[in-house]
Amino acid sequence: MNHHTDRRAADRGPSTTRGRTDGWAFLREAARDLRTTGAVAPSGRALARTVTDPIRVRAPRPLSVLEAGAGTGAITRALLPQLPRGSRLDLVEANPRFVARLHELLDAHPAPPARNTRVTVHQAYVEDLDTDRRYDVIVSGLPLTNFAPDRVERIMARYLDLLHPGGTLSYFAYLGTRRARTLLASRAEARRHAAVDEITAAYQHRYATGRWTVLANLPPAHVWELRRPDATGERADEQIGEQADQQSDEQAGARR
């Protein structure tokens, strides 16, 4: 599954009526499958602004941006007006009903042609996204703590692969979910959540450049920024790995 449609970017924000409609849509999808929807309400404005900060930091040069798990467009609407002239945005969403809402959003709020900003909507899972493009910024709204650990590993590895060297991944994680599952869920579910936390913690330890807490959201969330090392950093990592391998070989030889 990898359908996509081109649209021009939006310049105007959501109306109150639109926000209520999206809220009901999210609630319905959560009732169908909370594991893939991840929340009972779309992201609030404070969270949307924080998770899109890397766009503002890198402006005004044109950017290549990917939003994964775009949902009903709560973060998309905060992101679109910030895109510098000449930028490209790829929206990735697997839920076909949310994809339809994204098309409606872009159709209702076309950008002036002078902005020369192009948006493409892909109906796909981000780990299966068929593209050779690399991105300056990836903004993720996926509910990672709801997924199986092996899928989270594939998603995080794919994010790093899709970034340009020096590119930024910005994503959020809701507060208190592990404790809630420990108290309310089965032991198997609690173990799954703990395994996911270990995977994301490993990526945070290696690549994180910042973390912010957004309390003005339902539920509150941490926003993480991870950075793919640039070419110099990647070479340094390779040298460290080679040195570690050499030391290991020398120690093994000394024990023989």
Side-chain angles (χ1 to χ4, degrees):
M1 176 176 59
N2 186 25
H3 309 298
H4 65 273
T5 304
D6 289 340
R7 292 290 189 273
R8 292 291 170 176
D11 263 349
R12 287 175 284 177
S15 66
T16 302
T17 301
R18 179 78 188 190
R20 291 197 189 111
T21 303
D22 286 351
W24 281 113
F26 236 87
L27 192 59
R28 286 195 301 269
E29 294 306 310
R32 284 192 177 102
D33 189 354
L34 184 59
R35 181 177 292 275
T36 55
T37 304
V40 297
S43 302
R45 292 183 180 180
L47 179 56
R49 178 171 177 80
T50 303
V51 81
T52 58
D53 269 344
I55 309 297
R56 290 186 291 277
V57 169
R58 291 170 179 262
R61 70 178 181 85
L63 298 174
S64 182
V65 180
L66 170 70
E67 183 187 353
T72 58
I75 291 175
T76 309
R77 284 189 288 267
L79 189 159
L80 287 168
Q82 301 175 46
L83 289 173
R85 183 188 303 272
S87 294
R88 180 183 178 95
L89 171 64
D90 285 339
L91 302 174
V92 180
E93 173 56 52
N95 185 312
R97 289 170 291 276
F98 286 167
V99 167
R101 291 211 170 244
L102 292 171
H103 287 314
E104 292 171 5
L105 167 65
L106 298 174
D107 286 339
H109 302 293
R115 286 286 302 276
N116 192 30
T117 302
R118 194 167 187 81
V119 180
T120 304
V121 179
H122 303 259
Q123 185 180 331
Y125 295 104
V126 70
E127 63 268 37
D128 298 329
L129 183 64
D130 184 13
T131 182
D132 294 326
R133 185 176 300 278
R134 293 299 177 264
Y135 299 92
D136 301 297
V137 177
I138 295 176
V139 177
S140 175
L142 290 177
L144 296 177
T145 55
N146 286 14
F147 297 156
D150 60 341
R151 186 181 177 200
V152 173
E153 178 61 48
R154 290 197 306 273
I155 291 171
M156 295 299 288
R158 182 63 170 150
Y159 283 158
L160 269 293
D161 179 61
L162 286 169
L163 284 170
H164 283 301
T168 297
L169 165 65
S170 181
Y171 74 96
F172 59 89
Y174 295 123
L175 300 183
T177 57
R178 181 172 180 179
R179 179 171 177 80
R181 282 197 170 101
T182 300
L183 294 174
L184 302 174
S186 67
R187 291 183 180 179
E189 179 67 5
R191 286 195 298 269
R192 183 201 59 77
H193 196 299
V196 169
D197 281 351
E198 289 179 6
I199 292 168
T200 55
Y203 278 91
Q204 292 159 4
H205 178 73
R206 185 170 183 182
Y207 299 109
T209 58
R211 191 196 77 177
W212 294 264
T213 300
V214 181
L215 298 177
N217 191 71
L218 179 65
H222 285 317
V223 173
W224 288 90
E225 285 187 14
L226 277 58
R227 181 178 179 273
R228 176 176 172 175
D230 56 24
T232 302
E234 287 178 337
R235 285 197 297 270
D237 286 345
E238 290 173 1
Q239 291 171 357
I240 292 170
E242 290 170 358
Q243 291 171 0
D245 290 342
Q246 182 178 358
Q247 290 172 358
S248 178
D249 291 343
E250 291 173 351
Q251 291 170 357
R255 287 195 295 270
R256 293 192 188 100

